[in-house]
Every structure is written in structure tokens, then in C-alpha cells.
């Protein structure tokens, strides 16, 4: 995954660029040069160089081109070869007919009257949680997604190349298309099959199955330009510039003159047809329908329940307190998810993301006559986007209300908050629904079939992960104690290890699933999505016979905790469980979806009838409460007795507070400053679910305490990663680098606080490119504003960005939950426990507590008064 150079280019004098732009490394006995900054290779005369250039194209587009060193060096005896990255930018005002056009205003954030100067400095709008700004945010993400889909189709066509005067076809590729070439450059080490794949690169691009999810991405985004010479929202996208010669052998270089004017003219000619077609597409009804669908999904998801993360809650409270407009008020459904009628949930096959054709697929329909599950909702999408949502769609209903021009009426099934079971026979659609719910946290493209199956953005899938790495996790809610493995004179002793700080290099199914639940709670998950088929059986439930057989079982099954977890004021976390084999789950259900022949029914009434007949609720479990409904409480216990000098036991007044909730923890400073200092993100070849974070500049002293597995992240069991997962997983790795850097600036922040800071940058401070910018500058400033040329130079001034382009081409904006999963699964990463924060209480609770304390003080004073009087009477 590095930009290694062939031995015949080892003389550093052939490189032109900033001093210190490269470093030498020894790899398997060979000296290699790794470029830190974008550099190019000139001709043998070394008299001319091609620097970064910028120019205007057709008075609308700002173009910047930055060359950098090619991986495979061609013969440079006759002319120069360059390869580089192109950044194209266009103002949305220019694209959509001026600042006053309705289309342009749909992408613009409204200014906040209460925005602080600090928020302005960070380019954070404190009104982003309002409906208007939430729709503008969704529209920007969808526009960037549609732009790259159009460019992928345009640039995969062989006719969209420009033949220059040297007889080479200058080819523009998206970053995703170019990554396939970069991964297969060295033909000497590739098999004949791989060489054939390389020759047929462009044809294979056409057949690649598109990812149906709409996510923020690094290679295309919309940002506000706050410079004096340009204002408003601007669309930016990156392209890879290469060439393919007439012999049809793909060489990733461009043969042009080193004269900047000639380069500009050559690029302008190559872009002419592509940008012309792109502008036509971006103004089409198809584009606006694509965006309107994403806006509808995000607005529907926002109606489910309030956000969980602190940053969003703070922004939401600021917006609500500063605005009394009805447009900013939300009526929540108090639900985990919503599935609209007509949705096509099953996929074509287990390896495909395309929808199954109907028939044989059965469109989803909400249960008839179910007041609890079936809902009709009105979603506000605005007057502009409403006109691009088709009335004829089977899952969109017209309405006769006064708000017909700005709302969409949907009928479907909700998954209410609490404990919801999805039950049914084998192959009746239970797991299909749960899979749709797990991917419902993402927006989908029109035609996917699951566009209107939305899940709260903080829902997390939970499963067993045998062999996963765990460090300092409080699993005492599920694992009471485990054998410590200590021995005396070779004989094992019956000591137990503390599970409030559980660590292991090789977790079992039950301990791994317990750790997954606690870590999800640590990140404020709103719901746990659990499938019985991929869970540890002893973690899910235990029947009466097994309880009688094993009296000292240390595992408290999830079955007994789900109700207390939802009723807990601290967490209020719902659980959705697919069940087909253990009927005891019926005792704890708040809602039941019964699947029969792929049709959903409300099964709560029948479930309660069955539970009444077979309930074991009167049986005590380990003396800690009624079976199936153990509270998620905080226990206070007296400290262990100590012996005084006389050998008698004495009570200690201090009490030990034991919490079942996650402990506050943060990455250990020694790990971030030594073991993973200056770490880089690497993705093993052929893997889309594993990362490796290690330093490229390790010395022998750094390797003393280094384990060969340190830095490896296995995310193969994390089922909510999208597509082939490589782009999103790589984004998780970049965010981990940022978190480790940020943890050194914020010494008192725990994992949750650090994730809040990360999400603040990702959502409101510039996105993933702002993360790259902050890694480049090593400061807290993460602005991605500036001229097109400045932005490109900044992003290409770090090997982190070059590694991204070389490995996966681009990366997606990951959820905070996937970032946390990657961080906590990174082998060798250790966490230190922080003291608990004082509990935050609201004003009313504080007043009540003050009154209670005052009454207790009065009672104590009165008791002391009477005690003193009695003492004086005795003395007399």
C-alpha cells in the first residue's frame, strides 16, 4: 500500500519537490523511497518541472491539477510523464441559476441568529438540527453521491478520452476506478490471470455492482466557501488523471509537455465533454428525484426519536430554544424503525445488494388492524423536493391536507421502543427484516426497494465474535466472575477474576457478545439488533433444567436484562430480537412481529397468552430479583471487613458502588505516544474487513514491547459495514488516527467524549476531508475552505491522503459506532479507567434534592438536640 519506486530510480536527485518530501526505508533488504508530499519525475535533463496548476474552465468550473510521482516509471528519454489528481469545483449558484433560484436555496443552510463567534470560527452552524438545515444537509450529500454515480458512468466509456499530440489517450477516472489500477501495477509479480484482469480493467468497471447506499464521501462533497472572493455552496469532486496508449496497455501516466499552458489546454480538452454532460445530468429531474428520495429518508428517520449523541442534543436544544417556529418542532414516533408499505426487503442473492424481483418477492405490508404497530405518518420534505417524489409510487400516498405541497403521507409498520420480538417459522422472513433494519441506518438510492425502511441512526447490530480482542470492559452485568487461572504448586485454585475490568486476547462467544453490548451502550446506542442465529446460546437464555444442572453459572443471559436496560434512565436502550427457538423471550416482549409466509402480523396478544401458560416468572434467579426482568441498577455494598489489632472484624464505613453500566475509559497515553505514534492505515491485500495500523518509522527500541498482532483490526463480524466495506472501514482507520491525536489534546475526555468531538467535525465541521486536513496540520483547525488549488495542495501534502488514493481511492464517512468498534478491536490498544463524572441533574431535581437535604438536616439537628438533652439528664 506504499508508493515504492523501482531500483533504477533510487537517485534522489531525480525528484523535484519540497525538500523532505520523501523518506528512505528498507523493506525486505531493498531500499525504497516513500513520498510524503506530491512529487513528479521530470525528464533526464532535469531542467523543467510541472508544478500544480489551476485555471477556469468555461467560466464556471475552477480546475486544479496536482501532479505526483507515478508508481511504475516509464522510459523518460523523450518526454515527460506525469500522473496526478484533478479537483473540479463549481458554485451551486452557477449550476442552478443564481442565488435567488429555488433549486439553489434548497441546498443552502439558513443562518442562525444565535450562532456564536466560536461556532462561526469552526464553520459549525448551530441551527443545523432544524428541518430546513437538515434537508439542506441531506440534499448536499445526495447531490455528491449522484455526481459520482454519473461520473463513474461517463468515465467508464472508452469514447470519453482525449488523444493528445503524443498519441496517448488522456483518461480521466474516478478515484474508485483508479484504485483498481494502483493495486495491480507490478505485472512482474502478478499471474497471467491478473495481467488479463489489468488489460480488461475498463470493461470490468462497467459490470461492477453499484453500492446502493448514499453516504458522505471524500472524493465529492458540497461545502460553503467563506472566502472573500467566493461565497455560497460549492460542489467539489476529485478525479484521477492518467493515460492509456493506443496499444490498449493501461499505463497510469500522462505524456504531455512540461509547459503549464500545454498541460492546461490538454486537461481542458479532456474535460470539455465530461463536464458538459455532467451539468446536464445535475440539472435533470432524475437528479432532483434522487436527492428528494434521500431528503425523505432522512426526515423520516429524524421523526423516530431524538438523537443520542451529545453534540446533536446540544445543537438541537440551542435550535429549539432560539426558535419557536413550527417548522423546527418535531413530533417523535417513539420508535426504533419504520418500514413503509410496498418496500421490497429481500435481495436477489446472498452476495448481491440488488432487490429481488416481485414476484416472487412479496412487497411488505403493515399488519392489519394493529394500533401498536401500524402507523400513518406525514413527513415534511419542503415544497421544492415534494414535487420530485412520484405520486404513483406504491409506498407514497397523496393527502388532501393543506400541507399537500410540502408533506408526504406514508403508511407502514413501526418497531416501537422497548423489547420487540420478530418470531416465525424457518425461512419466513425474520432475518430478512432484521437485516433491512440493520441497514436502515443508511440512506438508499431510488429503486433499491428499502428506501423507506429507516432505522434510528444509533441502532447497533450485536452478535457473538469468538476470538475478538477486549480491553478493560465492564461486563459484570452479564458475566459475574470467571476463573482466574491462578495456580499454587501446579494446582489450580478457585479464585475469580474481576469482570468490571475484563480483558482478553481471545474472547469466547458469550464474553464477546457481552462486551459488544456494553461497548454499544458506551456509545449511547438507541437500540440493539440481535439475531438468535448468530448469537451465543448461553448468552441469550437458559432454561430451568440448565439452571438446575449448573448452579454456579457466572453468565446472566441477555433475556433477563433487556427490560431493565430499556427502563434504565441512564440508557433507555431498546432491543429487537429475532427468535425462533427459545419461547422464554415471549415473557419479556413489549411488541411481537409474527412473520408467516413473508407477511407480518401483530403477535403480541398470542405471545402474552402463551407466556401466561408457561411463565416461570415466580422463580428467583440467583436471589437477585424476578426471573426475566432484572433491573439495571447501581448496587451499593459495604467494603470487605478488615481485622483490627485484636483480631476482631470491624466494619468500614465506606461503601463500594458497583455499576453495571460502562466505565469511563480512554486510550492509554503510552499506546498513543509510543506504540501507535505516527501510525498509518494499511489494508491487507485482498481483505475488505481488516485494517492494520502501525508506524512506518519504527526503531528497534520501539519494537521491544511490540507484538506482531498489534494494530490489527478485524471487523469481519461487524455486519453494518456497507458494500464490500473497504471504503468505510478505511474511513474508520483515519478516524482512529484523529481520535488518538485528539486524546492527547483532551486529557480528561473518555471514549464517548472523543467520539462526540469526532462527530462534531464530521457532521458540522467539514466532514472526512476536514479530518484529513487536521491530520496534515496537526492542529485542531479542520477547515476545508479555500481556493480549489489550496484545498488540493493541502490534502495532497500528507502521505495519509496519498495512502488513501493508493489503497481504496476514497473513503466513506463512517458512523461513530463503527469507529468505536474499530478502536476497541484494535489489538494492542489499551484503555485506562477514568473516575466517574458527577451525575448531571436538571433544575427541578436539584431543587427537590436541596429540599430533601434541608429536611434531613433539620431532622438530624432535632435528633442531636434530644440526644444531648438525654445525655445531660443521665449525667445529673
Amino acid at each position: 500500500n506504499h508508493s515504492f519506486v523501482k531500483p533504477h530510480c533510487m537517485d534522489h536527485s531525480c525528484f523535484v519537490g519540497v525538500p523532505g518530501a520523501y523518506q528512505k526505508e528498507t523493506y525486505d533488504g531493498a531500499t525504497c523511497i516513500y513520498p510524503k508530499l506530491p512529487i513528479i519525475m521530470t525528464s533526464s535533463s532535469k531542467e523543467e518541472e510541472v508544478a500544480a496548476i489551476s485555471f477556469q474552465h468555461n467560466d464556471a468550473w475552477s480546475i486544479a491539477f496536482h501532479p505526483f510521482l507515478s508508481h511504475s516509471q516509464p522510459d523518460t528519454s523523450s518526454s515527460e510523464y506525469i500522473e496526478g489528481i484533478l479537483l473540479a469545483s463549481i458554485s451551486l449558484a452557477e449550476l442552478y441559476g443564481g442565488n435567488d433560484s429555488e433549486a439553489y436555496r434548497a441546498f443552502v443552510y439558513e443562518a442562525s441568529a444565535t450562532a456564536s463567534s466560536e461556532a462561526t470560527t469552526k464553520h459549525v452552524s448551530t441551527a443545523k438540527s432544524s428541518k430546513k438545515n437538515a434537508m439542506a444537509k441531506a440534499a448536499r450529500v445526495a447531490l455528491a453521491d449522484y455526481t459520482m454515480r454519473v461520473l463513474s458512468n461517463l468515465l467508464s466509456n472508452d469514447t470519453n478520452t482525449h488523444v493528445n499530440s503524443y498519441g496517448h489517450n488522456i483518461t480521466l477516472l474516478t478515484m474508485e476506478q483508479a484504485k483498481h489500477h494502483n493495486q495491480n501495477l507490478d505485472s512482474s509479480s502478478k499471474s497471467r490471470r491478473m495481467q488479463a484482469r489489468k488489460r480488461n480493467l475498463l470493461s470490468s468497471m462497467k459490470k461492477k455492482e453499484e453500492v446502493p447506499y448514499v453516504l458522505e464521501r471524500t472524493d465529492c462533497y458540497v461545502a460553503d466557501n467563506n472566502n472573500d472572493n467566493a461565497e455560497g455552496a460549492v460542489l467539489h469532486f476529485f478525479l484521477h488523471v492518467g493515460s492509456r496508449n493506443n496499444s490498449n496497455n493501461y499505463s497510469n501516466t500522462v505524456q504531455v509537455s512540461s509547459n503549464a499552458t500545454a498541460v492546461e489546454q490538454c486537461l481542458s480538452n479532456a474535460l470539455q465533454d465530461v463536464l458538459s454532460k455532467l451539468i446536464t445530468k445535475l440539472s435533470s429531474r432524475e437528479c432532483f428525484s434522487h436527492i428528494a428520495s434521500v431528503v425523505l429518508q432522512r426526515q423520516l428517520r429524524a421523526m423516530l426519536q431524538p438523537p443520542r449523541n451529545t453534540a446533536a442534543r446540544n445543537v438541537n436544544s440551542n435550535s429549539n430554544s432560539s426558535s419557536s417556529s413550527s417548522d423546527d418542532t418535531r413530533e417523535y414516533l417513539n420508535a426504533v424503525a419504520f418500514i413503509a408499505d410496498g418496500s421490497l426487503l429481500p435481495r436477489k442473492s446472498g452476495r448481491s445488494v440488488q432487490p429481488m424481483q416481485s414476484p416472487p418477492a412479496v412487497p411488505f405490508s403493515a399488519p392489519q388492524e394493529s394500533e401498536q404497530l401500524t402507523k400513518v405518518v406525514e413527513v415534511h420534505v419542503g415544497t421544492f423536493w415534494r414535487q420530485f417524489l412520484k405520486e404513483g409510487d406504491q409506498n407514497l400516498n397523496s393527502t388532501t391536507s393543506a400541507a399537500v405541497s410540502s408533506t408526504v403521507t406514508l403508511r407502514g409498520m413501526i418497531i416501537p421502543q422497548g423489547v420487540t420480538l420478530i418470531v416465525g417459522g424457518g425461512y419466513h422472513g425474520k432475518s430478512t427484516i432484521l437485516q433491512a433494519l440493520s441497514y436502515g441506518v443508511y440512506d438508499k438510492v431510488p429503486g433499491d426497494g428499502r428506501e423507506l425502511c429507516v432505522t434510528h441512526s444509533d441502532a447497533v447490530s450485536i452478535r457473538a465474535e469468538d476470538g475478538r480482542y477486549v480491553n478493560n470492559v465492564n461486563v459484570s452485568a452479564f458475566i459475574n466472575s470467571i476463573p482466574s487461572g491462578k495456580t499454587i504448586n501446579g494446582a489450580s485454585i478457585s479464585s475469580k477474576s474481576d469482570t468490571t475490568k475484563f480483558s482478553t486476547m481471545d474472547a469466547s462467544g458469550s464474553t464477546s457478545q457481552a462486551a459488544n453490548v456494553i461497548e454499544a451502550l458506551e456509545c449511547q446506542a438507541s437500540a440493539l439488533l440481535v439475531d438468535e442465529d448468530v448469537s451465543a446460546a448461553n448468552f441469550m437464555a437458559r432454561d430451568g433444567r440448565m439452571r438446575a444442572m449448573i448452579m454456579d453459572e457466572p453468565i446472566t443471559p441477555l433475556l433477563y436484562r433487556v427490560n431493565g436496560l430499556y427502563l434504565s434512565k441512564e440508557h433507555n436502550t431498546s432491543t429487537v430480537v429475532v427468535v425462533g427457538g427459545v419461547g422464554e423471550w415471549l415473557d419479556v416482549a413489549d411488541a411481537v412481529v409474527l412473520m408467516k409466509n413473508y407477511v407480518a402480523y401483530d403477535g403480541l396478544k398470542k405471545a402474552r397468552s402463551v407466556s401466561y401458560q408457561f411463565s416461570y416468572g415466580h422463580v428467583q434467579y440467583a436471589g437477585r430479583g424476578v426471573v426475566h426482568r432484572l433491573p439495571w441498577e447501581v448496587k451499593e455494598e459495604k467494603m470487605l471487613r478488615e481485622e483490627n489489632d485484636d483480631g476482631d472484624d470491624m466494619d468500614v464505613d465506606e461503601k463500594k458502588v458497583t455499576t453495571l453500566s460502562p466505565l469511563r475509559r480512554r486510550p492509554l497515553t503510552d499506546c498513543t505516544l509510543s506504540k501507535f505514534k505516527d501510525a498509518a492505515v494499511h489494508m491487507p491485500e485482498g481483505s475488505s474487513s481488516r485494517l492494520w495500523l502501525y508506524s512506518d518509522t519504527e526503531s528497534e527500541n520501539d519494537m521491544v514491547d511490540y507484538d506482531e498482532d498489534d494494530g490489527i483490526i478485524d471487523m469481519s463480524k461487524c455486519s453494518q459495514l456497507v458494500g464490500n466495506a473497504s471504503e468505510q472501514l478505511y474511513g474508520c482507520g483515519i478516524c482512529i488516527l484523529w481520535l488518538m491525536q485528539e486524546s492527547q489534546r483532551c486529557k480528561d475526555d473518555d471514549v464517548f467524549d472523543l467520539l462526540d468531538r469526532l462527530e462534531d467535525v464530521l457532521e458540522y465541521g467539514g466532514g472526512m476531508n476536514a479530518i484529513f486536513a487536521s491530520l496534515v496540520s496537526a492542529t485542531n483547525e479542520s477547515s476545508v475552505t479555500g481556493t480549489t488549488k489550496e484545498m488540493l495542495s493541502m490534502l495532497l501534502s500528507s502521505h495519509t491522503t496519498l495512502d488513501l488514493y493508493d489503497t481504496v481511492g476514497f473513503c466513506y464517512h463512517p458512523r461513530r459506532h463503527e469507529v468505536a468498534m474499530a478502536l476497541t478491536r484494535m489489538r494492542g490498544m489499551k484503555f485506562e479507567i477514568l473516575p466517574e463524572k458527577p451525575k448531571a441533574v436538571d433544575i427541578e431535581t436539584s431543587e427537590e434534592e436541596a429540599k430533601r437535604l434541608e429536611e434531613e438536616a433539620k431532622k438530624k439537628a432535632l435528633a442531636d438536640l434530644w440526644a444531648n438533652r438525654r445525655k445531660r439528664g443521665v449525667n445529673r
Side-chain angles (χ1 to χ4, degrees), residues 273-548:
D273 188 48
V274 173
L275 296 184
S276 176
K277 293 179 179 179
L278 178 62
I279 287 182
T280 302
K281 281 286 190 179
L282 294 183
S283 302
S284 65
R285 183 178 182 87
E286 179 186 59
C287 175
F288 289 143
S289 297
H290 180 94
I291 299 172
S293 176
V294 175
V295 170
L296 174 60
Q297 293 174 62
R298 292 211 173 186
Q299 289 295 97
L300 179 58
R301 186 177 294 108
M303 293 176 60
L304 296 175
Q305 56 179 288
R308 286 299 182 101
N309 59 300
T310 304
R313 286 199 305 265
N314 291 341
V315 173
N316 192 33
S317 62
N318 291 338
S319 176
N320 290 340
S321 62
S322 62
S323 175
S324 60
S325 171
S326 60
D327 183 61
D328 287 337
T329 59
R330 297 188 187 273
E331 294 183 0
Y332 294 107
L333 298 173
N334 297 324
V336 172
F338 179 88
I339 308 177
D341 287 354
S343 298
L344 284 176
L345 305 183
R347 302 295 91 186
K348 184 188 299 184
S349 69
R351 296 178 56 87
S352 175
V353 294
Q354 298 301 316
M356 181 184 294
Q357 294 295 324
S358 178
V362 178
F364 183 83
S365 179
Q368 300 294 330
E369 300 179 356
S370 174
E371 296 182 359
Q372 183 188 28
L373 299 181
T374 303
K375 298 291 181 183
V376 177
V377 298
E378 285 194 357
V379 187
H380 174 80
V381 295
T383 56
F384 180 75
W385 299 120
R386 181 64 184 87
Q387 61 185 314
F388 298 104
L389 295 170
K390 299 177 182 179
E391 290 286 353
D393 286 354
Q394 56 183 343
N395 47 14
L396 293 183
N397 299 324
S398 60
T399 177
T400 57
S401 65
V404 62
S405 60
S406 63
T407 61
V408 173
T409 303
L410 300 171
R411 181 187 180 276
M413 181 184 76
I414 66 167
I415 302 295
Q417 288 181 297
V419 180
T420 300
L421 304 183
I422 303 177
V423 302
Y427 210 78
H428 279 249
K430 304 186 303 297
S431 296
T432 299
I433 286 188
L434 190 72
Q435 185 184 46
L437 295 180
S438 66
Y439 286 117
V441 298
Y442 304 115
D443 302 315
K444 270 80 69 176
V445 298
D448 175 75
R450 301 170 297 179
E451 304 98 307
L452 297 180
C453 173
V454 298
T455 309
H456 191 259
S457 56
D458 289 315
V460 178
S461 292
I462 301 295
R463 59 165 297 168
E465 284 186 71
D466 296 62
R468 71 152 287 191
Y469 174 80
V470 180
N471 185 261
N472 261 354
V473 179
N474 178 18
V475 295
S476 60
F478 302 101
I479 313 293
N480 297 331
S481 61
I482 55 177
S484 64
K486 295 181 180 179
T487 60
I488 298 179
N489 297 326
S492 61
I493 58 177
S494 60
S495 60
K496 304 292 184 180
S497 61
D498 183 14
T499 57
T500 60
K501 299 177 182 178
F502 177 71
S503 300
T504 182
M505 297 290 291
D506 185 11
S508 65
S510 57
T511 54
S512 64
Q513 195 162 1
N516 290 344
V517 171
I518 297 300
E519 288 174 348
L521 299 180
E522 184 179 30
C523 300
Q524 291 293 305
S526 61
L528 307 178
L529 310 179
V530 186
D531 193 339
E532 186 184 56
D533 291 344
V534 292
S535 298
N538 58 343
F539 177 78
M540 295 293 289
R542 282 200 313 143
D543 62 14
R545 295 180 182 182
M546 193 55 65
R547 288 198 298 269

Side-chain angles (χ1 to χ4, degrees), residues 547-770:
R547 288 198 298 269
M549 178 69 184
I550 305 177
M551 301 297 295
D552 58 346
E553 170 62 64
I555 299 177
T556 303
L558 180 66
L559 172 65
Y560 306 121
R561 291 294 187 193
V562 287
N563 292 113
L565 189 56
Y566 173 63
L567 298 175
S568 168
K569 293 181 179 180
E570 182 178 0
H571 300 294
N572 190 227
T573 302
S574 303
T575 307
V576 182
V577 188
V578 168
V579 181
V582 181
E584 288 183 329
W585 279 95
L586 300 178
D587 295 351
V588 302
D590 298 316
V592 177
V593 179
L594 174 61
M595 297 299 298
K596 185 177 181 180
N597 297 326
Y598 315 117
V599 178
Y601 299 91
D602 187 347
L604 182 61
K605 184 177 180 180
K606 183 175 182 180
R608 287 183 173 173
S609 175
V610 173
S611 176
Y612 178 78
Q613 299 176 46
F614 296 94
S615 176
Y616 295 95
H618 61 281
V619 178
Q620 295 290 315
Y621 181 79
R624 291 182 297 171
V626 179
V627 173
H628 304 151
R629 296 181 184 270
L630 293 176
W632 191 274
E633 83 283 6
V634 175
K635 300 179 293 184
E636 292 186 359
E637 302 173 350
K638 286 187 177 181
M639 296 287 285
L640 296 176
R641 293 176 177 268
E642 298 179 359
E643 292 186 354
N644 57 20
D645 296 337
D646 299 330
D648 298 328
D649 290 343
M650 63 178 184
D651 289 331
V652 179
D653 291 335
E654 296 181 4
K655 291 184 177 180
K656 178 183 178 182
V657 178
T658 303
T659 177
L660 302 179
S661 299
L663 300 179
R664 294 186 66 231
R665 57 179 185 153
R666 57 176 278 115
L668 190 65
T669 302
D670 289 344
C671 287
T672 57
L673 291 182
S674 59
K675 183 182 295 186
F676 298 111
K677 182 181 179 181
D678 300 326
V681 180
H682 307 273
M683 182 166 287
E685 184 176 356
S687 174
S688 62
S689 60
R690 296 190 180 211
L691 283 181
W692 194 2
L693 270 68
Y694 64 88
S695 176
D696 291 321
T697 58
E698 292 168 343
S699 63
E700 293 183 0
N701 294 331
D702 296 330
M703 300 293 290
V704 175
D705 298 327
Y706 190 83
D707 187 273
E708 62 180 4
D709 288 338
D710 284 351
I712 293 180
I713 304 172
D714 184 1
M715 298 279 282
S716 58
K717 301 293 180 63
C718 301
S719 58
Q720 287 180 290
L721 290 173
V722 303
N724 63 7
S726 57
E727 293 86 1
Q728 192 181 24
L729 182 56
Y730 200 94
C732 292
I734 296 300
C735 290
I736 289 177
L737 297 183
W738 188 92
L739 287 174
M740 290 193 294
Q741 186 183 94
E742 187 73 7
S743 66
Q744 298 310 307
R745 291 193 286 261
C746 307
K747 302 290 187 179
D748 297 327
D749 282 4
D750 57 19
V751 171
F752 178 75
D753 298 328
L754 292 172
L755 289 173
D756 269 351
R757 293 181 182 273
L758 172 67
E759 194 158 35
D760 186 56
V761 176
L762 290 176
E763 294 293 338
Y764 314 121
M768 284 298 298
N769 285 301

Side-chain angles (χ1 to χ4, degrees), residues 68-336:
F68 57 82
L69 181 65
S70 175
H71 297 252
S72 56
Q73 298 298 327
D75 182 12
T76 59
S77 59
S78 59
S79 59
E80 292 83 10
Y81 292 79
I82 62 174
E83 173 197 8
I85 302 296
L86 181 144
L87 174 60
S89 306
I90 186 172
S91 169
L92 295 191
E94 181 75 28
L95 182 63
Y96 293 124
N99 295 335
D100 296 330
S101 68
E102 189 177 7
Y104 173 75
R105 291 198 303 269
F107 294 93
V108 177
Y109 297 130
E110 61 184 10
S112 172
T114 61
S116 63
S117 58
E118 180 182 359
T120 303
T121 303
K122 293 183 178 180
H123 309 284
V124 177
S125 171
T126 58
K128 290 241 176 115
S129 62
S130 68
K131 287 185 178 180
K132 170 65 175 64
N133 289 336
M135 289 189 291
K137 172 73 172 178
R140 293 182 176 202
V141 174
L143 176 63
D145 177 82
Y146 183 81
T147 299
M148 293 314 299
R149 293 177 188 275
V150 172
L151 285 172
S152 295
N153 291 330
L154 292 176
L155 299 179
S156 64
N157 192 339
D158 288 344
T159 61
N160 290 312
T161 57
H162 174 71
V163 182
N164 66 6
S165 57
Y166 295 95
H168 279 65
N169 295 335
I170 295 181
T171 305
L172 302 174
L173 298 175
T174 66
M175 304 307 296
E176 182 180 16
Q177 292 168 340
K179 76 175 182 181
H180 297 287
H181 167 68
N182 289 337
Q183 292 173 350
N184 299 281
L185 280 171
D186 190 4
S187 60
S188 62
S189 62
K190 300 296 180 182
S191 64
R192 184 175 302 176
R193 178 181 178 185
M194 294 302 295
Q195 293 181 31
R197 178 185 176 188
K198 182 169 128 181
R199 288 193 299 268
N200 298 326
L201 174 66
L202 293 179
S203 61
S204 65
M205 291 176 185
K206 301 175 185 178
K207 303 175 183 179
K208 185 176 181 295
E209 192 175 64
E210 287 188 346
V211 175
Y213 307 104
V214 179
L215 301 169
E216 292 185 63
R217 47 198 298 159
T218 57
D219 58 347
C220 186
Y221 60 96
V222 177
D224 290 323
N225 197 329
N226 297 319
N227 291 327
D228 295 335
N229 58 349
E231 296 181 356
V234 180
L235 173 67
H236 308 276
F237 61 83
F238 295 88
L239 295 177
H240 180 276
V241 179
S243 75
R244 184 169 56 86
N245 60 27
N246 290 334
S247 62
N248 209 32
N249 291 324
Y250 195 90
S251 60
N252 203 32
T253 55
V254 182
Q255 183 186 25
V256 295
S257 170
S258 59
N259 183 275
T261 304
V263 173
E264 176 183 331
Q265 182 62 41
C266 193
L267 291 174
S268 182
N269 292 340
L271 287 168
Q272 179 67 38
D273 188 48
V274 173
L275 296 184
S276 176
K277 293 179 179 179
L278 178 62
I279 287 182
T280 302
K281 281 286 190 179
L282 294 183
S283 302
S284 65
R285 183 178 182 87
E286 179 186 59
C287 175
F288 289 143
S289 297
H290 180 94
I291 299 172
S293 176
V294 175
V295 170
L296 174 60
Q297 293 174 62
R298 292 211 173 186
Q299 289 295 97
L300 179 58
R301 186 177 294 108
M303 293 176 60
L304 296 175
Q305 56 179 288
R308 286 299 182 101
N309 59 300
T310 304
R313 286 199 305 265
N314 291 341
V315 173
N316 192 33
S317 62
N318 291 338
S319 176
N320 290 340
S321 62
S322 62
S323 175
S324 60
S325 171
S326 60
D327 183 61
D328 287 337
T329 59
R330 297 188 187 273
E331 294 183 0
Y332 294 107
L333 298 173
N334 297 324
V336 172

